[in-house]
Each structure stands twice: as structure tokens, then as C-alpha cells.
Amino acid sequence: MAQPSFLPALPQSDIVQAAQLIQQAYSPSSVQVSSDTQRRLQQELFDIQKRYEAWGLVIPFLNHEDFNVQFFGAHTVQVKIARDWESFPPDDAPFLRDLLLELISHAVLSGKNKVILRKLFVAITSLALKLATGTPSGWPDWIVSTVEFLSSRGVPTRSLLEFLSIVAEEVESADLVGPRKMQMKQTLLDASPLVVRAITGTISQPRSQIIAREVEPALKCLQAWMSVLRADDITPLIPLLILLLNPSTPDAELDPDVFTPASDTLQEIMSCSPLAAGAGTATLTEPLLLWLDIWGTQILRSSSSPEHLTDVSHSLCKLITTLGDHSNIYFASNITSHKLVPGSQQMRSQLIQGFLRLLLSYTGLPGYYGVDEEESEMTLGFWYLLQESLWGVDFDEDGEGREVSSSPLVEEEQNRMAVVHAVYAELVKVLRRKVAWPPQNVLESWTKDQVEKFQVYRRDVGDTLINAYYILRNDMLAYYLNDIQERLLHSAAQNEWEEIEATLHCIMSIQEALPLEDNPLVSQLFGSEILGHLPRVGQDRVRRTMLGLIGTYASWFTTQNKAISPTSSPSLLMNAISYVVAALPEPSLCLPAANSLRDLCDANRIALAPHISAFGELHAGLTGIPETEKSKVLQSIASVIQALPPQEEIPPILAIVNPVVEKLVHALGSSSQLPDEARSVMILQLQTLAGVSKGLTRTTDSLLVLEESSPADQAEAELLRQARNDYRMVKLREDIFNAIRSTIEIWSGDASVSDALSDLIRSVTSLPSDTTLLSLPAGPLLGLICIACQRHLTAVWLSLAKSLVIQLDPPPPFVASTIKSSPNAEAIAILSDALPVILQTSLSMLGRPGALESNPDIVQAFFGCLDSVAKHFVAIFYKLPPGALDALMQCAVRSLSLQERYSLVATCTFLETLVRRTASSDELGDTSTALVHQYGQPILRAVLCGFAGVAPRSATANLIELLSTIASKHPAETREWMNEILFADDFVESRATPEAKRAFVKAVIGSRSPKKTREAAQQFALIARGLEGTSFGYASVTM
């Protein structure tokens, strides 16, 4: 094809040179090109493509004999239209359109590669999106006219369908909003009849004449247009699609190359078309049910046959699960309906129950999921939807809802529920079988990925079983318990432990659905009939599952009668405790046993308190338990101790905590001689102390207790105070504090030790209402944190400082006062010493070149800590040493230009809090005005530059809050500064025009509503970034 006059004409030597670059960069060669050379060549090609003259390469490259050069020619025209359209002469656009149409027809008829054709199809679509949108349209009816032109040139239907598929895909992803989007949507609708005719003409041929390579583009086109077509466009295609599911002749096998795309298309209709979400039961659901009644079971039975039939079965499973998702309300409403399906002699109930049997068969496919089959997991979601639909619909013969109370057919209603019950009972049996692990010799042959996939499948089955429980209730539990008891009778002889473990897993999975009330069946589970017969040695898998089950059901024991008797809760509870404790010394079971014991003790503190002596024996026998799990065991014991009267807590606390502190002190002493060993010991002891502290914390959230404290509460608080003042507890707390201080002095730079210390400090500090015998005051600990920051500044220490600042100013009792009192003098004195240290250490570190950008975690934690100080002790900022506040504000202003979102958000939050709290403080008087006069303009400059593109878009909302606060408190200064900043010569380059800037200032200053300010700032940010009128920009605002 000759070069048209409106495109640049390049010398042949330039064209040859550019083609050689492509061949060097992409063509296979005997000489290996280095990665650096390839990057250089690609950059040269990119630079060539950016020039206007690159338009002149399109035709010569498409005429080239090398595929890579042809591809680059097609790619170039696509890229130039998409990215460089503004530089193309508008008067030449119609000529480019005509040229592209000629190029496409020539490429198709000359047999160009599909990849090149796709590039050209995308290019013509991109051009249409440029020309057709707007008023008046530069290319009305471009889809129809393009198809008519290509058809007149002899382009086959297959290629036309491929073009139409790309049209739908490209328009769907195009960045169009408002009228342009509606205009393009109407263009698609206008072209719909043409699309439907093209598809129908391909798939309506006799089934024996249809071949896969012809039907595939038609079905892909239909899928691409699914969201565009109307219901009355799609409905006539459904019978044709169902016919494609059949074999070509009665005695032929199913063809997966036709079956699978037809199945996929029907799935798209049920998921993405106007017939989705249960619509079209007469035209879609019932015809598919009739087809499944004939072919479903046959295909399932053939799934173990040749591989191509296995593919058909897999596709069928996807089809029926999609049908189940689509029509679950229809199934729930008609599961026992006697109404005939039109065109057949079968009742709705027969077809639905047959469908459920088929789905159950796929749910219970033989073999193990992830190893022998991949389909059973796909069906699990349906059973949840069916259960929800069964609750949400009323039943009658016509499938229409009505008041059950008005129906005289109570017996019929019972029949329906009997069918539902039978279906879910079968489901429970199937899933119990499917979650059983294989024998060990089989399991050893599985890969790691297969094991992990099966574990995930078991968890997913657990979610499905919850829905089954809502239908079956105690019948489900009874089935499981009977199953276990029967298998226990011959477990040793027939090696039934994998099956018993599967049943225990099922029982564990449904715990969250069980009402928190006494249940004889659960009592049977934890009694001598079942728990008493489970192994206590060997059989690790079944024991591990039972340990997890006990921990999961820990809260159930609280429902039992608290009176001590042989058959009541303490007996069952102690049975469970005994079973768990027996597993603690075994390395493979210690972790689940320790977790289970912790959950049991935490939930049943009061019931276990009379057995504290038994826990003393447990503590004495901890020598056989791995060190890594001792902290959980001690936390369990501490939970029981917490239920004792305060004075009675002292001896057991001393017994379990003193050895831990001694080990910690000894490890600190050996840090220089055996640093690695000492470090490991220290981390374990710190974790153990943290666990004990958590165990001693009450389970009742003090913030949820809204009543005035009763005399009994006051008496309990006094007993706690007296116990805390006991000299033994005073000394123990001093020892813990000194150990923390020594650890910080020696190991504050170690990340793992820091994390363990952080966990401990958080657990031994509390609000006054949650104080325990081990609680330490926040003030002295804040001093230690300052030392840690000076030695090695990390986000861990700054986050801890934030928590301790909050505890220095605890909230008042909920009822006692509705107005928060000022912080006490002691807290102010503590923070007056601590804040300068934190500032000096942090600012010195963050003031280094590049430190703000390379330490986002520290920046976030630093300003998060300062935000807490501003909320609780704002006046302290204005009593800092000379120069400290100025250095802080300069650092904050610099941080407003950071690209890391969390750092920027923390900075905005701190500055907004500081400005707002300063302005609302009576104590500070005119300090707010002085603060804003000194720092308001640089803050606003950073905020406005952020809107214009300096800050990430995700932080725009936080910048808006900061702007809104300053504007509401100081409107006059804000107006003056915004005008100076926005119209300054050095303001960041953006797409915002002077008119847009003036409108922005007017909207911000003229509105007292934060909502109006937010809307104005969002609009300005879109304009400044060049995103106004784009779906991308709109989505970024509405996220």
C-alpha cells in the first residue's frame, strides 16, 4: 500500500534503520543480546515512536516481511492515536480513518497474524472514541459503518466478530464520563441488532455443521457484548446456546471445544446480563434444568473417562454452580412444587431435586480435592445461598411469596421442610467424608501445595457446614456424635482415626453457629462417652483437632451449672483441662494444647478458681513443656488467678512470676558473654511476663461498664489497692521495672527484643479501671522509652510513647463527669520532661538529608505520638525550650510533601489537631493566632501544592481536613495566603487555570461548611491534575 500524502514521508534509509532496530531488539538471533543492550534498543524505539514522524512508519512496517516489524507498525498507530492525538492535525482525521479501514481489510485478507489484527482493531476503536464522542459527532454510527465497509471488502464474519468483541471491550474500559459516556453507550445499543444478527447467523446452523473454530469468535463476541444487549436480544439466543451443549450427532461424543465456550457464554448470561440475579426463569432456568435432566448425570459419569470428557465435566460443574447462584430463590420457592414445566411432563420439584442430586454428586466427587479432583470446592457457595433463600421466601404452587400463616396446607409445608432437611442431611454426610485426610502412606506422596490446598478446602467446608447447621440444628450434632461413637467401637481394628478426626473437624467448624446455652449433645461430646475414649498418646492428628475443638468451645463451659457435682460443668471442664494438659509435654501438640488451655482458662476463670491448687501442680510440672509455649500456659494460670480475691492472688503470682524475672535478670547479666543465647532467653521471658500480665487483666471491658460503681465495686477496688501495697508485690513490680530498664539499656537496638518489650509494656500498663497487681505506672515507663529513643530511635518506641501519653491522661468515669478535667500536674511534669527528649532525638534523625523519605514508619509513628500529645496536653507545645516548636513545625511542613501516604496522613492529622486544639483552648488565649500567623502560610502552601499533584491522591482527603480547619479558624488570613500562593510564579506547575484558582479560593472562603470546602478542594485537585471529566478522576474522589 502506498504512503498517503497526509502522513510524513520518510527516507527509505530511515525506515530500514528503524526496522533493523526492531529486529535487533526482538528477533531471535544466534548472538545473545545483553539486557543492557536490549533496554537501550527499546528506549531508542520508544523515542522514535514519540516523534510525529513515527506516523510515517506505519504503512512501511505493516508491509514488511518480518512479523516483529509488522507488529511494531500496528502498535505504533495504536499508541499514536491513544497518546499523541493532540498533535495530529484535526483536518486529517477523516483521512486517517479511511486509511485505517483500508489497512484492516488488507491485513485480514492477506492473512496477517491475529495479534496484528487485534492491534489494528484496537487502533480503529481508539480513533472512533476520539472522533465519535462530542457534539456534533465526527463519526456517527461508526460501529455499523465499519462493519459494513469491512464486509463489502470481503472480510469474513469470523474477523468481523473479533472486531466487534474488541469494540465492546475497549468502550467498556474507555475513560469516558457524563454525556460522552452516554453517547457511546447509545452507539453500542444502536449497533446491537447487527451484533445479534452476526452471532445468530453463526450459531443457528444445524448442530452437525457447527465446528469449534467458527463458533468460538461468535460466543466470545456475545460474552463481550453481554452487558450491552437487552434481555429481548439475549433471550432468543438461549435455545441456540443450549443446543450447542449437545453432541453434534446422537452417537457422537461431546466436543469440549464447542461445549466449553457455550457453557461459558450461558454462565455469562446468568452472571452479567439483564437476565442475571434470578431473572428469566422460564426462558433460562427451566430450559437448563430440562437439559441437565437428560445430560447432567451422563456427563458426570463420564468424568473419569478420557481427558477431553473430563474437561466437559469441569465445565458442566461451573455451569450448574452458576445456575445455582442465579436461580437459588427459584429453587427454594419450588423445591416441592407440583406445577409442570412448560413443554414437558415433569414437575418443577422433580427437576429441582434432580439438580440438587447432581450438585451433591459434584460436591461429593470421589477422591481428595486438589489431588484427584478440582470441582467439589466450586459447589460450596451454593449451599449458603440456598439456605439464605430458604429463610427469605415463602412457598406456594406458583412460586410466589405469601403469608405462611394464611396457608391451610400445613402438611405440605412440612413436606417441603422434610425435603430440605433431607438434602442438607445428605450434604453433611458428603462433606464429612470429603474432609477426611488420607492414610499416612498416601499423604506422604502429596506435594506441599496439595496439602495446603486441601487445608484451605477443609476451612471452606467448615463455612458451608455452618449454613447446614442453621437447617438441621441438633440433628446435625447428633449425627456427628453417633458417627464418632460407632467408629470408636472399632477404631483400633479398622484404623478409623482419620474418619473420627474429620467428624471432630466438622463439629469444631460449626461452633460459632451454636447458641451459647446448655446443650446435652455438647455435654456428651466432652463427657466420658467421647472425650474419655479419645487417645491420649499417639494419633497426633486426631488429638490436635480435638485440642482445637476444646479451645473453640471454651466459652460453652460457662453455660453450665456452677454448682460442683459429678455431672456438672466443673467435671466436664476439668475433663477438658485434663485432656489438654496431657498433651502439653509433647512437642508436636504443645502449641495447640497451650492455645486451648489459654482459651479455656480465660473464658472459665470463676469456675476454675476453686481448682487453683491443680494449676499450682501444673506450674510445678512445666519442666517438660517447651519454653516457647510456657508463656501461654502461664497466661492460662494467670487467668485463673485473676478470679481469686486480690490478697489470695499474691502467692500464686509470686510463684509464677519470680522465676521468670530471675531468668530475665540472669540473661541480662550474661549478655556480654553469651549474647545470642541471652537474647533468646530474654525474648522468651519478656513474652512470658506479657502473657501473665494479659492473663491477670479482667475479661470485662471497663469502657463498656456504664453504671455508677457500686459499693461492692468500691470495696473490690480497695482490696486491690491493699494487695498492690503489699511489700511483696511492690518489690516484684520494682524488679520487673528494673528488668525492663536494664533490657532497654543493653538491647534497645535489637528489633526482636524491642517487639517483645513493646508487648510487655503494653500489657503491664492500663487505665485505672483495669489495674492489676502487676500494673506499672505510665510515667516512669515513658522515661525509659525516652532512653530507648536516645539509644536507637524506632517506630516501636514512638508508638509506645503514644500509648503511654494517652494513659497519662485517662478518661473520667463515664457517669461521674461529662466534662473532661484538665490533666493533673504530675502528668504535665512527666511529659514536660519527656517531650523535649522525643523531639530532639526524632528531629535530629529526621533532619538528615533523605531521612523523611527513607523512614516512613518512624515519620508516621512520630507524628502519631505528637497527635496524642496535642489531643491531651496541647499547652505543653508552647512551653518547649526555645527553637523546639519551630524545628518541629518546619519538619511537619516538609513532611507534607512526602509521597508515602501513611507518613503524610499522620502529619496532616497532627497539624489539624494542633491548630484545632490550640484554637479551642481557653488556657492558651491568643496563641492560636500567633501559631497560624507564623506557620499558616507555609502549611497552606504545602497543602495547595499537594492538591496540584505533589501529594498522592489517596491523601487528598486529609489535606482537605487540614485546609478546612485553618480556613474555619482564620478565614481572612486563609484568603490572603491562598491568593498569594496560587498565583505565585513559583507555584507548582499544574493544569489549573487562573479562573479555576479564583473559583477555588472563592468557594473555600465563601463557605462555612466543611462539606462545601471538601467539594471545592476535590474539584480543584481534579482540575490541577488534569483529571476533570474522567472516570479515573471521578473514581479517585468517590473511593
Side-chain angles (χ1 to χ4, degrees):
M1 183 177 293
Q3 188 81 350
S5 59
F6 69 92
L7 292 182
L10 301 181
Q12 184 64 26
S13 60
D14 290 352
I15 296 172
V16 171
Q17 185 179 2
Q20 289 174 345
L21 279 176
I22 297 169
Q23 290 172 322
Q24 291 175 31
Y26 298 106
S27 294
S29 173
S30 57
V31 179
Q32 184 67 35
V33 178
S34 68
S35 57
D36 291 339
T37 302
Q38 191 170 42
R39 279 194 296 269
R40 177 181 59 77
L41 292 171
Q42 290 172 346
Q43 184 61 46
E44 290 182 28
L45 290 171
F46 179 72
D47 293 338
I48 291 173
Q49 204 174 53
K50 288 196 298 184
R51 301 173 190 163
Y52 177 77
E53 289 76 13
W55 287 103
L57 294 173
V58 174
I59 292 178
F61 278 4
L62 285 172
N63 290 333
H64 201 279
E65 60 184 13
D66 188 290
F67 164 76
N68 292 303
V69 179
Q70 294 174 13
F71 174 83
F72 196 81
H75 180 61
T76 297
V77 70
Q78 177 198 343
V79 169
K80 299 299 285 184
I81 293 172
R83 300 178 189 171
D84 301 332
W85 183 247
E86 293 179 1
S87 64
F88 191 83
D91 293 341
D92 291 339
F95 302 115
L96 178 63
R97 176 196 63 196
D98 296 341
L99 173 64
L100 263 178
L101 290 172
E102 292 287 353
L103 288 173
I104 290 172
S105 62
H106 181 266
V108 173
L109 297 176
S110 62
K112 286 282 193 295
N113 188 283
K114 280 187 177 182
V115 177
I116 295 171
L117 294 180
R118 180 175 181 84
K119 280 287 180 185
L120 293 174
F121 290 154
V122 172
I124 194 71
T125 305
S126 298
L127 180 62
L129 292 172
K130 303 289 186 185
L131 300 179
T133 54
T135 306
S137 172
W139 193 1
D141 299 327
W142 61 274
I143 301 175
V144 174
S145 63
T146 299
V147 171
E148 289 175 349
F149 174 86
L150 295 177
S151 182
S152 70
R153 294 303 178 94
V155 172
T157 303
R158 175 188 177 88
S159 297
L160 295 176
L161 289 166
E162 290 171 349
F163 163 71
L164 290 170
S165 298
I166 288 172
V167 166
E169 294 166 2
E170 291 298 308
V171 172
E172 176 68 24
S173 61
D175 193 12
L176 300 172
V177 293
R180 296 174 66 210
K181 186 172 184 178
M182 295 303 298
Q183 185 180 12
M184 195 51 60
K185 182 177 181 180
Q186 186 59 49
T187 301
L188 292 174
L189 287 173
D190 292 342
S192 295
L194 180 148
V195 174
V196 172
R197 285 197 302 272
I199 295 170
T200 305
T202 301
I203 67 174
S204 61
Q205 302 175 46
R207 179 65 185 86
S208 59
Q209 299 177 14
I210 290 179
I211 56 177
R213 69 173 182 271
E214 294 179 355
V215 78
E216 182 182 8
L219 296 182
K220 285 187 175 179
C221 180
L222 177 54
Q223 292 174 38
W225 281 74
M226 197 67 72
S227 60
V228 178
L229 299 178
R230 302 178 182 89
D232 54 0
D233 292 326
I234 297 171
T235 299
L237 299 175
I238 294 174
L240 301 176
L241 292 170
I242 294 177
L243 281 176
L244 292 178
L245 299 175
N246 295 331
S248 56
T249 60
D251 56 345
E253 291 185 343
L254 291 166
D255 183 357
D257 294 331
V258 175
F259 184 96
T260 300
S263 170
D264 291 344
T265 306
L266 286 165
Q267 294 167 46
E268 286 289 308
I269 291 175
M270 290 185 280
S271 304
C272 307
S273 78
L275 296 178
T281 55
T283 56
L284 180 58
T285 303
E286 291 176 347
L288 276 174
L289 288 176
L290 288 169
W291 182 88
L292 286 169
D293 185 60
I294 299 171
W295 289 99
T297 304
Q298 293 184 43
I299 295 174
L300 175 64
R301 289 172 182 167
S302 67
S303 61
S304 58
S305 302
E307 184 176 347
H308 67 281
L309 294 181
T310 303
D311 294 338
V312 169
S313 180
H314 183 83
S315 181
L316 174 64
C317 184
K318 291 170 61 178
L319 179 63
I320 63 174
T321 54
T322 305
L323 177 60
D325 294 347
H326 171 273
S327 305
N328 57 84
I329 295 177
Y330 172 86
F331 296 148
S333 303
N334 295 279
I335 195 168
T336 55
S337 170
H338 297 296
K339 188 172 183 178
L340 293 177
V341 172
S344 78
Q345 295 301 310
Q346 299 197 65
M347 296 181 291
R348 289 178 175 178
S349 59
Q350 292 175 306
L351 293 176
I352 292 172
Q353 291 175 29
F355 170 83
L356 294 176
R357 281 191 294 271
L358 179 62
L359 199 65
L360 270 172
S361 297
Y362 272 102
T363 304
L365 281 174
Y368 297 96
Y369 174 75
V371 179
D372 303 311
E373 53 88 9
E374 300 286 341
E375 288 78 28
S376 60
E377 184 272 340
M378 290 191 289
T379 69
L380 297 180
F382 167 77
W383 303 109
Y384 158 74
L385 293 173
L386 180 62
Q387 179 257 315
E388 290 287 314
S389 298
L390 288 166
W391 277 4
V393 299
D394 299 322
F395 306 100
D396 64 28
E397 279 297 302
D398 298 321
E400 304 291 338
R402 72 170 178 226
E403 293 294 329
V404 176
S405 59
S406 66
S407 172
L409 304 177
V410 177
E411 183 178 351
E412 181 64 22
E413 188 69 20
Q414 292 174 344
N415 291 337
R416 293 186 181 102
M417 291 314 300
V419 171
V420 171
H421 193 284
V423 169
Y424 275 90
E426 184 62 26
L427 174 67
V428 165
K429 295 177 183 177
V430 165
L431 292 179
R432 193 218 62 80
R433 173 178 59 80
K434 287 291 291 183
V435 298
W437 286 95
Q440 188 61 34
N441 63 324
V442 176
L443 185 59
E444 289 173 353
S445 66
W446 287 12
T447 65
K448 180 180 178 182
D449 289 343
Q450 288 173 329
V451 171
E452 291 177 353
K453 195 170 185 178
F454 189 68
Q455 288 173 331
V456 172
Y457 170 74
R458 278 165 57 100
R459 289 196 292 271
D460 293 341
V461 166
D463 295 337
T464 302
L465 290 173
I466 290 174
N467 304 115
Y469 175 81
Y470 290 137
I471 299 291
L472 302 176
R473 300 292 175 176
N474 275 350
D475 289 345
M476 183 173 176
L477 264 181
Y479 162 73
Y480 285 143
L481 295 179
N482 290 335
D483 179 83
I484 294 175
Q485 288 180 307
E486 290 177 8
R487 295 181 188 278
L488 282 172
L489 294 176
H490 44 79
S491 58
Q494 299 189 21
N495 195 24
E496 292 276 359
W497 292 120
E498 285 87 359
E499 301 296 332
I500 292 174
E501 187 277 337
T503 307
L504 292 174
H505 171 79
C506 295
I507 296 174
M508 179 169 61
S509 299
I510 64 173
Q511 180 274 331
E512 66 179 76
L514 267 67
L516 191 61
E517 60 188 27
D518 189 14
N519 188 321
L521 292 171
V522 182
S523 299
Q524 183 182 350
L525 172 66
F526 294 117
S528 58
E529 297 179 23
I530 294 179
L531 181 60
H533 282 79
L534 291 180
R536 298 201 175 201
V537 292
Q539 302 298 335
D540 285 359
R541 187 182 300 282
V542 70
R543 292 172 66 198
R544 186 180 298 111
T545 300
M546 189 62 197
L547 291 170
L549 187 153
I550 290 172
T552 303
Y553 278 78
S555 59
W556 174 82
F557 294 98
T558 63
T559 66
Q560 303 300 285
N561 183 359
K562 298 301 185 291
I564 298 178
S565 70
T567 59
S568 63
S569 170
S571 175
L572 294 177
L573 179 56
M574 292 310 293
N575 283 346
I577 292 283
S578 174
Y579 186 87
V580 170
V581 169
L584 285 172
E586 300 189 31
S588 62
L589 299 175
C590 184
L591 175 59
N595 288 336
S596 183
L597 181 65
R598 180 188 58 195
D599 295 338
L600 278 172
C601 293
D602 187 54
N604 299 277
R605 301 177 178 211
I606 296 175
L608 291 173
H611 303 274
I612 190 64
S613 59
F615 286 92
E617 296 173 4
L618 172 61
H619 178 251
L622 286 180
T623 52
I625 297 175
E627 289 288 336
T628 52
E629 307 308 329
K630 277 188 180 179
S631 63
K632 295 173 184 174
V633 177
L634 292 182
Q635 180 177 344
S636 305
I637 297 173
S639 299
V640 179
I641 293 174
Q642 187 272 325
L644 298 172
Q647 284 292 338
E648 295 181 25
E649 290 183 41
I650 296 175
I653 287 178
L654 293 172
I656 65 174
V657 175
N658 270 330
V660 178
V661 176
E662 289 171 2
K663 288 183 182 179
L664 177 57
V665 172
H666 183 267
L668 287 167
S670 61
S671 294
S672 57
Q673 294 85 14
L674 300 168
D676 292 339
E677 181 180 338
R679 174 180 174 275
S680 299
V681 172
M682 272 192 307
I683 292 173
L684 283 173
Q685 304 316 311
L686 292 171
Q687 291 172 343
T688 301
L689 284 175
V692 172
S693 300
K694 293 172 185 175
L696 291 174
T697 303
R698 294 190 303 177
T699 55
T700 304
D701 190 342
S702 60
L703 296 178
L704 300 179
V705 180
L706 306 183
E707 299 85 2
E708 193 79 55
S709 59
S710 64
D713 294 332
Q714 295 174 5
E716 183 181 350
E718 176 59 24
L719 291 174
L720 178 62
R721 186 190 65 79
Q722 293 175 7
R724 279 181 58 83
N725 289 338
D726 187 286
Y727 75 95
R728 294 170 293 176
M729 294 310 302
V730 171
K731 183 178 184 303
L732 180 58
R733 290 197 299 272
E734 288 177 354
D735 291 343
I736 294 174
F737 181 83
N738 291 332
I740 292 174
R741 179 175 58 193
S742 298
T743 306
I744 285 175
E745 290 173 349
I746 300 174
W747 289 92
S748 59
D750 185 281
S752 297
V753 175
S754 298
D755 289 339
L757 268 173
S758 173
D759 192 30
L760 171 59
I761 292 174
R762 292 180 190 278
S763 64
V764 296
T765 54
S766 65
L767 298 174
S769 55
D770 289 327
T771 300
T772 71
L773 294 187
L774 291 186
S775 296
L776 299 179
L781 287 172
L782 182 58
L784 296 184
I785 298 304
C786 290
I787 295 173
C789 289
Q790 289 175 313
R791 292 177 179 272
H792 188 83
L793 183 66
T794 66
V796 171
W797 302 131
L798 291 171
S799 298
L800 265 180
K802 173 182 178 178
S803 299
L804 296 173
V805 166
I806 295 172
Q807 293 186 28
L808 288 173
D809 186 29
F814 188 86
V815 180
S817 174
T818 57
I819 301 176
K820 194 176 186 303
S821 59
S822 300
N824 60 60
E826 180 184 359
I828 293 174
I830 291 170
L831 199 55
S832 297
D833 293 335
L835 184 58
V837 176
I838 294 173
L839 287 179
Q840 190 275 329
T841 305
S842 302
L843 294 176
S844 297
M845 186 264 195
L846 296 175
R848 300 169 191 160
L852 286 170
E853 292 79 8
S854 57
N855 296 280
D857 57 334
I858 292 179
V859 176
Q860 181 187 2
F862 173 60
F863 285 109
C865 175
L866 296 182
D867 181 60
S868 290
V869 177
K871 286 176 179 175
H872 297 270
F873 302 91
V874 68
I876 286 182
F877 284 104
Y878 305 100
K879 300 175 183 178
L880 289 168
L885 180 59
D886 183 63
L888 168 60
M889 297 303 291
Q890 289 183 26
C891 178
V893 171
R894 292 198 309 273
S895 299
L896 287 175
S897 63
L898 293 173
Q899 290 297 303
E900 204 282 323
R901 178 178 180 271
Y902 294 108
S903 302
L904 179 53
V905 168
T907 307
C908 289
T909 303
F910 160 65
L911 288 173
E912 191 273 333
T913 301
L914 180 65
V915 172
R916 177 170 45 80
R917 297 286 295 191
T918 301
S920 62
S921 173
D922 297 333
E923 176 187 353
L924 296 176
D926 295 333
T927 305
S928 173
T929 303
L931 175 73
V932 172
H933 277 179
Q934 186 170 357
Y935 304 108
Q937 188 169 10
I939 291 174
L940 276 183
R941 178 177 177 79
V943 169
L944 296 176
C945 289
F947 291 153
V950 172
R953 289 182 302 109
S954 56
T956 299
N958 304 93
L959 293 171
I960 290 172
E961 290 300 318
L962 180 54
L963 169 65
S964 179
T965 299
I966 296 176
S968 65
K969 305 295 182 185
H970 306 276
E973 295 89 341
T974 301
R975 178 191 296 108
E976 178 184 350
W977 292 333
M978 286 183 70
N979 280 306
E980 290 179 7
I981 295 166
L982 290 171
F983 292 96
D985 293 337
D986 61 347
F987 184 68
V988 64
E989 184 178 349
S990 72
R991 301 287 186 90
T993 63
E995 292 78 10
K997 294 177 180 180
R998 281 190 285 271
F1000 178 38
V1001 175
K1002 181 178 179 181
V1004 171
I1005 302 304
S1007 172
R1008 297 292 182 181
S1009 164
K1011 180 181 178 182
K1012 296 292 185 183
T1013 301
R1014 181 166 58 252
E1015 291 173 352
Q1018 288 172 340
Q1019 181 65 19
F1020 176 75
L1022 292 178
I1023 294 172
R1025 295 171 188 263
L1027 297 175
E1028 184 187 25
T1030 67
S1031 57
F1032 179 71
Y1034 177 75
S1036 69
V1037 170
T1038 56
M1039 283 174 63

